Amino acid sequence: MSTDGLTDLWDKLFGAQPDPPALLVLVTVLLAFVVVAVRPLWRIARNAVTIAHEGGHALAALLTGRKLRGIRLEFDTSGLTLSAGRPTGPGMILTLLAGYLAPSLVGLLGAWLLGGNRITLLLWLAVVLLLLTLINIRNAFGAVSLLVTGAIVVVVSWYATPQVQAAFAYTGVWFLLIGGLRPVGELQKLRSRGRMPESDADQLAHLTHLPALFWVGTFGLVNLVVLVAGAFLLAGQWLPDLGAPTP
């Protein structure tokens, strides 16, 4: 690749795109909320949350010195991340803690990039993260799920207009920020029925001797704070425009 080509690629990746209109921010947050709230839509889109959830477990395992054995993504939108290492201690605690926090935290990172209008960079980082996750996938459905998701992001980032890219990126980030809360509620609902005795919260309770409900509450509180912070990054600069009277 020539020097000019590298310069163009650098500018494309790290250059700031124009500010999207305030209406786009409003429409995308409403769209993301509908996808999270409507059960048939959530059943499909929840795969993206599961990918982030299991990716959070995997990253935390690697950062704490555990050996990653693999990731499975299932058709029912559940997932499993296997790692080897000490069954107790800070590394295991952080690995378990990361799953339910990861979707919201990924959304917060996306909101920070969008706050700087780095839309293209966000989309390409998403592709890189999906490829890194794909390397560690150990079942066919998980591989197909990641390939399809990655292909959609590649097509949008490479061929779509800036307006479509902005709408796609904002909807995706809003979805992660809002969607990070719903699995926490689902977790507690299933736990109350005795259907998830080995959930992340219950395993944390066993390791720390703090009740599982404490960890469920921690997941929910952290994700709620992250949602507020992400919303400020995404919409804070447009709030005066959104509330302004029409001339």
Side-chain angles (χ1 to χ4, degrees):
M1 183 180 292
S2 66
T3 303
D4 289 343
L6 288 173
T7 301
D8 290 342
L9 180 60
W10 180 270
D11 291 340
K12 182 179 179 64
L13 270 177
F14 294 98
Q17 284 72 48
D19 288 338
L23 181 61
L24 181 142
V25 180
L26 178 60
V27 170
T28 55
V29 67
L30 292 175
L31 177 59
F33 179 81
V34 168
V35 172
V36 173
V38 177
R39 185 174 180 82
L41 297 177
W42 171 247
R43 288 283 298 171
I44 298 172
R46 195 187 194 282
N47 281 293
V49 173
T50 302
I51 291 171
H53 179 113
E54 300 305 329
H57 282 315
L59 179 60
L62 292 172
L63 290 177
T64 56
R66 300 179 62 81
K67 185 173 182 180
L68 183 61
R69 296 295 192 188
I71 301 170
R72 294 180 62 89
L73 303 173
E74 305 297 347
F75 184 75
D76 63 358
T77 72
S78 65
L80 177 66
T81 299
L82 297 174
S83 63
R86 288 184 57 193
T88 59
M92 191 64 200
I93 291 172
L94 290 173
T95 299
L96 289 168
L97 186 62
Y100 279 97
L101 302 182
S104 294
L105 292 176
V106 172
L108 183 62
L109 173 61
W112 178 70
L113 289 171
L114 290 181
N117 291 335
R118 298 314 197 265
I119 296 171
T120 302
L121 178 60
L122 169 63
L123 295 175
W124 283 38
L125 280 176
V127 172
V128 171
L129 291 174
L130 289 169
L131 287 174
L132 290 175
T133 306
L134 178 62
I135 294 171
N136 294 288
I137 287 293
R138 297 295 181 264
N139 67 321
F141 177 79
V144 171
S145 180
L146 280 164
L147 287 171
V148 170
T149 304
I152 293 171
V153 180
V154 168
V155 169
V156 171
S157 64
W158 197 258
Y159 297 105
T161 65
Q163 293 79 12
V164 172
Q165 289 183 7
F168 181 83
Y170 270 83
T171 302
V173 170
W174 278 122
F175 171 74
L176 288 174
L177 290 169
I178 299 171
L181 284 168
R182 179 161 179 172
V184 180
E186 293 174 341
L187 167 65
Q188 183 54 29
K189 185 176 181 180
L190 291 171
R191 286 190 65 257
S192 67
R193 297 175 178 177
R195 293 173 58 185
M196 288 190 72
E198 296 298 321
S199 70
D200 294 349
D202 289 280
Q203 293 182 66
L204 284 166
H206 176 72
L207 290 172
T208 63
H209 305 294
L210 293 170
L213 190 59
F214 168 83
W215 292 109
V216 175
T218 298
F219 297 152
L221 179 61
V222 171
N223 289 350
L224 181 60
V225 171
V226 170
L227 171 58
V228 173
F232 178 79
L233 289 170
L234 291 173
Q237 59 183 310
W238 283 284
L239 287 178
D241 294 335
L242 290 172
T246 304

